[in-house]
Amino acid sequence: MTTAVNPSKPDSRTGADLYLHMYRRMLMIRLFEEQVNDLYTRALMPGLAHLYIGEEAVAVGVCEALRTDDYITSTHRGHGHCLAKGASVDLMFAELLGKEVGYCKGKGGSMHIADPATGNLGANAIVGGSTGIATGAAFSAQRLGTGQVAVCFFGEGALGQGVLYEVMNMAALWKLPVVYVCENNMYNEYTHFSETTAGDILARGPAFGVPSEAVDGQDVRAVYDVAKKLVERARAGDGPSLLLVNTYRYHGHHVGDVSREYYRSKQEEQQWKTERDPIRIMGDWLVSQGLADRAALDKLHGEVKAEIDHGVQFALAAPYPSPDKVDQDVYA
Amino acid sequence: MSMLEAATAVRELTLAQAIREALAEEMRRDPRVFILGEDIAEAGHPFKVLSGLVEEFGAKRVLDTPISEAGFTGIAVGAAMTGMRPVIDIMFGDFIGLTMDQMVNQAAKIHYMSGGKWKAPLVMRTTLGATRRSAAQHSQSLHAWFCHIPGLKVVMPSTPYDAKGLLKSAIRDENPVVFFEDKMMYRLKGPVPDEEYTIPLGVADIKREGSDVTIIATSSMVQVALGAATLLEESGISAEVVDPRTLWPLDEKTLIESAKKTSRVIVVDEGYGRYGVTAELASVIQEGAFFDLEAPVKRMGAMHVPIPFSPPLEDVTVPTEQTVADAARALCGAS
């Protein structure tokens, strides 16, 4: 269930609390996604899913810099964003399995998780499709004087969509409190981004007068630090920014994309997993700083695993919506 | 009071003035309402429909946008979801192609996809109608595109009175509503009372009562149908003119009742006939009144060609009073 938090109060986690919390959230996303892959493989989940494994530090580092009432928009690869913003594992699994108690009553599924209680305006299955929505939410925040910020998560594939630049232009003109977070996992579906993306990505923001920064997306502390700066900048009324987060998608474009040699090597995948894994990097750092020992991290792993297992059991046992619900919620 | 006195007691407004008044009243009533579009502030829109609004409400509520229809439509969706009431202005109906992903995949679906948790209460105002000598990219009537999509509502006013009351309802509606205005009717005058009123979406209006033939007409074609009815009266044929006013929700009951009463039906709409609004309305009539019909339902719409520039070419692409009257006579066996 979503945590009740005073929405006007910025999250106050600091120091060891903050770092352990971020580690836990990344682990939760990792284990959640592994479970999703397992459900798919065992034919227990309808449809497909686009796994976020490898990119956990991006969602967690950015969302940790947000208030509960700040807005996010997410993508087809959105489970990580939703969980990082505070979604419940139980209701996420229930939605993925098409159950009535799921976040969207089973009407949205993996690619459309939405949750007003955590400021989640919805995951979007049109690449670049939520850039307008995020910018519009920032417009509301500015007009209503709520102090909220909107974060628009999108993959580097969305750099090919014109609407992104239309709304970035307006966000700059009107100084809207929005942070555009480009997750460059290096692959537009099955095509390396260098084949689709001309010039320097980071030069695209400054063309509109939008300050832009790049960060190592495998280092959650680095992501958090730069996100916090850009979010606070937006909240202070200084306008939009673009954050380019360089990361890597361990799995295929979706769970069924298992033979990937035609577009990338196993060696490349292995190198990222062994040398650049965001959870291992953060775990090692926590231990090296004396903020946790291996036993504590193992214990945390067990707790998160138990939460995931509970969520799956909850979702598997939950009933499907009755067919007569099919024409409800078409109109408000 | 005689009918003449009643008519003169009510002031007359143009369609453009009625729309402007609806916007101004709703903006005074609800501070969340704002307008986004191209050349709408100081310019007041090329058709001058919005003149004076920026002076009253300021540039924070009447915003000139870049020429970015997809972008500002998307911003309106997000703003609508988060507490505002955007009214977006798409200068020509031909430009809706640029907005389709935002309207069809975002605005129309967010309520359903989120299991009813989010909603997008926005209004898109745009135009339809040919015969302005504006050629193929500024003359189309594409409202059928939106009628096809669950989650959207489509409004087609034909008089200043209807335009004002329907627009106020559209702005107060909790759903995305597309509001089509016939650009050739902006100077059409009609009675609009001083006192406030709204017209619910989904209620047809019988614009003229008759007994021999029903002409179901939308937007620009309502005046054409009324003109045809006058011509038919001279031939001794009594035509009933029914205006659905909104294509979705659709007041099927009123259409079917009129069809049963007259037993002959013509459907006239300025969009393309193929797979269009006339096809849907004709289907509603045959499903609802088949055994009461004396003749097949006749459909009339734009010819299936891009709208041409040259006047003698353009004029034959849309129904006229004469062609509608001729069709009605044929349907009544009086040609």
Side-chain angles (χ1 to χ4, degrees):
Chain A
M1 304 299 137
T2 51
T3 347
V5 182
N6 178 356
S8 64
K9 185 173 164 289
D11 203 328
S12 54
R13 277 188 208 95
T14 51
D17 257 11
L18 170 70
Y19 296 130
L20 281 164
H21 179 77
M22 292 201 292
Y23 180 84
R24 190 179 200 284
R25 272 278 157 89
M26 288 198 293
L27 195 58
M28 180 187 288
I29 295 169
R30 173 72 52 94
L31 298 184
F32 182 94
E33 295 289 62
E34 285 176 352
Q35 185 63 64
V36 170
N37 199 36
D38 181 64
L39 287 167
Y40 171 79
T41 310
R42 290 193 290 145
L44 289 172
M45 191 184 79
L48 289 171
H50 306 78
L51 300 179
Y52 197 67
I53 295 177
E55 307 182 30
E56 296 90 343
V58 184
V60 171
V62 171
C63 289
E64 201 55 38
L66 296 176
R67 301 192 323 210
T68 303
D69 69 334
D70 283 333
Y71 293 115
I72 63 162
T73 62
S74 175
T75 71
H76 60 285
R77 197 175 308 289
H79 305 163
H81 308 135
C82 302
L83 290 167
K85 196 65 175 55
S88 126
V89 165
D90 295 10
L91 303 186
M92 287 275 293
F93 275 126
E95 186 60 33
L96 264 59
L97 296 183
K99 301 301 181 73
E100 171 77 25
V101 294
Y103 269 114
C104 311
K105 302 181 191 166
K107 286 172 172 159
S110 163
M111 294 194 284
H112 301 294
I113 306 282
D115 178 26
T118 55
N120 181 354
L121 291 160
N124 208 300
I126 304 294
V127 172
S130 74
T131 54
I133 292 173
T135 310
F139 183 96
S140 289
Q142 185 193 66
R143 284 296 188 275
L144 300 171
T146 59
Q148 290 160 292
V149 170
V151 164
C152 179
F153 286 107
F154 60 93
E156 87 291 339
L159 292 168
Q161 297 284 24
V163 70
L164 169 66
Y165 306 102
E166 293 188 17
V167 299
M168 202 181 278
N169 182 46
M170 282 180 270
L173 285 169
W174 302 336
K175 286 194 134 185
L176 300 180
V178 53
V179 181
Y180 300 99
V181 177
C182 176
E183 299 177 307
N184 183 5
N185 67 19
M186 296 181 31
Y187 291 90
N188 302 184
E189 295 196 344
Y190 317 101
T191 303
H192 194 271
F193 82 100
S194 62
E195 295 174 46
T196 62
T197 316
D200 174 9
I201 296 172
L202 264 193
R204 296 185 181 197
F208 297 101
V210 173
S212 304
E213 297 203 32
V215 68
D216 175 1
Q218 310 309 95
D219 180 349
V220 72
R221 292 182 300 123
V223 175
Y224 170 78
D225 286 344
V226 67
K228 191 152 188 66
K229 186 176 76 177
L230 297 178
V231 166
E232 292 316 318
R233 181 182 181 282
R235 208 184 302 286
D238 294 331
S241 53
L242 169 66
L243 177 58
L244 173 62
V245 192
N246 294 303
T247 183
Y248 195 76
R249 184 188 83 200
Y250 287 8
H251 284 247
H253 169 54
H254 57 72
V255 283
D257 173 24
V258 290
S259 304
R260 302 184 284 271
E261 291 81 358
Y262 69 94
Y263 69 89
R264 69 186 197 189
S265 69
K266 282 191 170 158
Q267 186 195 0
E268 175 186 293
E269 292 182 3
Q270 202 50 45
Q271 200 167 356
W272 277 87
K273 288 178 191 171
T274 52
E275 296 172 17
R276 310 283 305 119
D277 185 73
I279 296 173
R280 183 177 306 171
I281 290 170
M282 186 59 172
D284 289 349
W285 184 82
L286 288 169
V287 172
S288 74
Q289 297 297 305
L291 297 173
D293 57 22
R294 291 288 166 197
L297 296 185
D298 288 347
K299 182 165 170 282
L300 201 64
H301 189 282
E303 287 168 13
V304 173
K305 182 75 173 63
E307 190 177 342
I308 297 292
D309 289 346
H310 176 271
V312 174
Q313 291 314 313
F314 168 83
L316 285 169
Y320 284 108
S322 67
D324 65 346
K325 302 281 174 65
V326 68
D327 60 355
Q328 291 180 7
D329 304 317
V330 179
Y331 290 92
Chain B
M1 192 160 65
S2 73
M3 281 186 71
L4 182 67
E5 283 166 339
T8 51
V10 175
R11 69 188 172 133
E12 296 231 317
L13 293 183
T14 65
L15 187 89
Q17 288 168 332
I19 286 165
R20 187 185 313 139
E21 194 168 89
L23 288 165
E25 285 181 11
E26 291 307 296
M27 290 175 82
R28 283 178 211 131
R29 182 187 65 82
D30 184 348
R32 301 171 302 169
V33 179
F34 70 101
I35 316 179
L36 270 180
E38 298 154 5
D39 295 318
I40 63 164
E42 284 75 16
H45 189 281
F47 294 132
K48 302 301 172 194
V49 180
L50 307 177
S51 298
L53 291 178
V54 74
E55 285 78 6
E56 178 174 352
F57 298 102
K60 291 269 183 197
R61 296 183 70 194
V62 183
L63 278 93
D64 275 334
T65 64
I67 301 175
S68 304
E69 286 86 358
F72 72 75
T73 302
I75 287 174
V77 178
M81 289 170 65
T82 50
M84 300 293 285
R85 291 271 166 167
V87 178
I88 54 175
D89 186 296
I90 303 295
M91 194 181 289
F92 284 85
D94 311 73
F95 307 163
I96 60 172
L98 297 158
T99 71
M100 281 314 239
D101 185 63
Q102 300 306 318
M103 292 302 287
V104 171
N105 279 320
Q106 312 303 340
K109 292 183 175 53
I110 187 62
H111 190 65
Y112 192 81
M113 291 195 305
S114 67
K117 286 184 177 171
W118 291 110
K119 60 184 181 182
L122 67 90
V123 176
M124 171 187 278
R125 288 182 44 252
T126 190
T127 63
L128 56 70
T131 70
R132 196 168 164 268
R133 315 315 184 206
S134 305
Q137 295 172 339
H138 285 73
S139 305
Q140 296 165 92
S141 301
L142 299 173
H143 44 285
W145 292 6
F146 291 122
C147 297
H148 193 63
I149 302 300
L152 299 179
K153 295 185 178 182
V154 180
V155 182
M156 304 274 284
S158 68
T159 66
Y161 177 85
D162 286 355
K164 183 179 174 189
L166 291 167
L167 183 53
K168 285 167 70 80
S169 292
I171 292 169
R172 297 179 193 189
D173 201 276
E174 299 296 330
N175 299 281
V177 180
V178 191
F179 193 91
F180 280 92
E181 299 159 14
D182 173 18
K183 61 176 92 73
M184 299 301 286
M185 284 193 340
Y186 278 133
R187 290 180 192 160
L188 176 82
K189 280 194 167 180
V192 178
D194 279 313
E195 57 272 23
E196 192 182 11
Y197 67 95
T198 58
I199 299 172
L201 307 186
V203 180
D205 186 42
I206 297 174
K207 292 286 191 250
R208 175 190 168 120
E209 293 207 12
S211 54
D212 296 326
V213 59
T214 294
I215 307 174
I216 299 173
T218 66
S219 181
S220 54
M221 292 294 108
V222 171
Q223 294 302 323
V224 168
L226 289 169
T230 303
L231 295 176
L232 290 166
E233 197 173 9
E234 291 160 12
S235 314
I237 294 172
S238 166
E240 177 149 298
V241 176
V242 182
D243 176 2
R245 297 201 289 200
T246 58
L247 293 176
W248 195 262
L250 180 65
D251 181 359
E252 298 186 358
K253 185 165 167 280
T254 298
L255 306 188
I256 291 166
E257 277 172 4
S258 179
K260 285 181 172 175
K261 183 173 93 171
T262 65
S263 74
R264 294 177 177 85
V265 179
I266 300 177
V267 187
V268 199
D269 172 85
E270 203 176 333
Y272 292 118
R274 288 188 197 168
Y275 303 93
V277 167
T278 58
E280 178 67 23
L281 297 183
S283 178
V284 166
I285 297 302
Q286 75 86 12
E287 284 171 6
F290 184 79
F291 294 106
D292 294 277
L293 294 178
E294 294 290 341
V297 178
K298 170 74 178 170
R299 300 194 292 133
M300 302 181 77
M303 282 175 68
H304 213 73
V305 296
I307 307 297
F309 166 68
S310 182
L313 297 180
E314 185 180 30
D315 287 344
V316 298
T317 65
V318 289
T320 63
E321 293 178 6
Q322 196 60 54
T323 59
V324 172
D326 289 348
R329 283 192 202 95
L331 208 63
C332 295
S335 57

